[in-house]
Amino acid sequence: MSRDLGSRGLRGLGRWALVTALSVTASGCVVVHGEREVLPATTRAEAAEALEEFTAAYNKADKAYDSSLDAGHITGALADIDEARLKAGRANSPEGNASHTPLELTDAKFTIPKKAGWPRWFLADAAGNKGGGSRWLLVFTRNGLDETWEAAYLTLVAPDDIPEFRTDEDGWAEAVPADSAEPAVPPGELSEDYTTYLKEGGNSFAEGPHTSEWRALRGKKSSRPGLATQYIDEPVTNGDYAPLALRTEDGGALVFFTTRHFQKQTAAAGASVPTPNKDVLALTTGEIRQSLTMEFVSSGVALDPADGAVEILGRVQGLTSAQGE
């Protein structure tokens, strides 16, 4: 498993946002010369088994606030978010999660691309008993036949926002290469384009809660009496954080991608930084005197059309560390 978040930049402050993560263990299908042949990533039966084991492992970890119980079954952005969530939970409740409610995923649908080489991956789309009626989109990936399927991406999306995927006569989907010029933005460039948009604005992304509305909210929070907030956003595209994309029926792509976000609050002389909640404090190092910086990792999914503005359909963001100064 390869996990490379790249260089560490400015660390920043923001509102605690942690969402449940899941985990899975399942043996993949046996393929011959899988590194060269264009083959389905797995079978539908094995994908269903992976989702079941994934859910069971998540529930064990969530109940005990113990990241070791699902550490071998998640990777990438989802692993960063889940590990930090469980670390904070255990720090504040060493005996475990007293409010644990088992996650249940039903009505699962699987979109399995047919491709050559590694990683192999597939999308699970399920209804959950958490998330307010949104569909749970989970991307499972692995880099070899002997590896366990791991969940790299989790996002929650409104049912009506999920596009139709292009499939062949046998129902297998099509993976879109990172450098494909067919969507409006090549999937490999989406993380960088999104972070650039958050800084500079523009028309490359459709308006919505994760684009124009988020930028407006940041603008309001950037300068308040006695308190200044700085924001820095970074693309993340290496290893298990690499974008993964499926061809949609209309020729565009549904792209799963990772970004990292930093927020820093600095109090003016004679003022103080607002006291964060206990979950933030559990992940904070150093003493909060005049500033608090926090780092977040975001798991996002975007509808990247053949032509036009990219629409961010969903985004799960989790605090991974904080620094007081």
Side-chain angles (χ1 to χ4, degrees), residues 94 99 110 115 191 238 251 261 276 307:
S99 61
F110 301 97
K115 66 185 291 290
S191 180
N238 295 328
H261 308 278
D307 182 41

Side-chain angles (χ1 to χ4, degrees), residues 20 62 74 87 113 152 234 238 249 283 315 317:
T20 55
D62 182 66
I74 57 176
K87 178 181 178 180
E234 295 181 353
N238 295 328
E249 186 63 41
L283 298 176
R315 196 172 59 84
Q317 178 170 291

Side-chain angles (χ1 to χ4, degrees), residues 78-108:
L78 182 53
D80 292 339
I81 295 169
D82 186 65
E83 288 171 8
R85 179 183 70 86
L86 295 173
K87 178 181 178 180
R90 174 161 284 267
N92 292 310
S93 302
E95 301 303 317
N97 185 355
S99 61
H100 168 74
T101 300
L103 174 68
E104 298 175 2
L105 296 176
T106 57
D107 185 34

Side-chain angles (χ1 to χ4, degrees), residues 5-318:
L5 265 178
S7 62
R8 298 287 173 176
L10 170 69
R11 297 178 181 271
L13 166 73
R15 182 167 56 92
W16 175 263
L18 292 180
V19 177
T20 55
L22 313 175
S23 62
V24 64
T25 333
S27 60
C29 59
V30 176
V31 297
V32 179
H33 301 302
E35 70 280 3
R36 298 191 299 271
E37 300 294 331
V38 177
L39 296 168
T42 186
T43 66
R44 293 179 178 87
E46 288 169 330
E49 182 182 355
L51 183 62
E52 290 179 3
E53 295 187 3
F54 180 59
T55 308
Y58 160 72
N59 282 328
K60 290 179 182 178
D62 182 66
K63 183 177 182 179
Y65 278 147
D66 185 351
S67 62
S68 70
L69 297 178
D70 66 359
H73 308 296
I74 57 176
T75 189
L78 182 53
D80 292 339
I81 295 169
D82 186 65
E83 288 171 8
R85 179 183 70 86
L86 295 173
K87 178 181 178 180
R90 174 161 284 267
N92 292 310
S93 302
E95 301 303 317
N97 185 355
S99 61
H100 168 74
T101 300
L103 174 68
E104 298 175 2
L105 296 176
T106 57
D107 185 34
K109 304 173 184 178
F110 301 97
T111 304
I112 303 172
K114 192 175 181 180
K115 66 185 291 290
W118 305 99
R120 302 279 174 159
W121 58 277
F122 68 89
L123 170 65
D125 164 13
N129 61 332
K130 305 177 183 181
S134 295
R135 298 287 293 187
W136 289 58
L137 302 188
L138 298 125
V139 178
F140 293 89
T141 183
R142 68 177 183 174
N143 292 304
L145 287 175
D146 296 330
E147 293 192 7
T148 299
W149 284 107
E150 297 174 310
Y153 287 103
L154 162 65
T155 51
L156 305 182
V157 175
D160 292 342
D161 288 341
I162 300 173
E164 294 292 327
F165 298 107
R166 181 179 296 177
T167 57
D168 65 14
E169 58 187 12
D170 296 316
W172 305 117
E174 178 184 344
V176 181
D179 60 355
S180 174
E182 294 178 358
V185 176
E189 298 177 13
L190 186 58
S191 180
E192 182 174 1
D193 280 16
Y194 182 53
T195 56
T196 298
Y197 166 84
L198 290 174
K199 178 181 179 181
E200 302 176 358
N203 300 317
S204 55
F205 288 84
E207 294 185 355
H210 306 292
T211 52
S212 56
E213 294 176 23
W214 196 20
R215 278 177 45 81
L217 180 62
R218 285 179 165 195
K220 292 179 181 179
K221 290 184 175 181
S222 62
S223 182
R224 294 181 176 180
L227 190 69
T229 303
Q230 297 169 279
Y231 301 93
I232 286 185
D233 309 287
E234 295 181 353
V236 186
T237 60
N238 295 328
D240 291 333
Y241 302 88
L244 298 172
L246 288 165
R247 180 82 64 196
T248 55
E249 186 63 41
D250 60 5
L254 186 72
V255 185
F256 295 86
F257 67 103
T258 303
T259 50
R260 184 170 54 233
H261 308 278
F262 303 92
Q263 301 177 37
K264 180 176 182 178
Q265 283 189 336
T266 302
S272 60
V273 175
T275 302
N277 66 37
K278 64 179 182 179
D279 290 326
V280 175
L281 290 174
L283 298 176
T284 300
T285 57
E287 182 181 354
I288 303 172
R289 296 186 298 270
Q290 289 301 116
S291 70
L292 176 64
T293 55
M294 296 176 71
E295 177 181 351
F296 298 86
V297 169
S298 174
S299 172
V301 60
L303 189 59
D304 189 358
D307 182 41
V310 176
E311 182 181 0
I312 305 298
L313 300 181
R315 196 172 59 84
V316 170
Q317 178 170 291

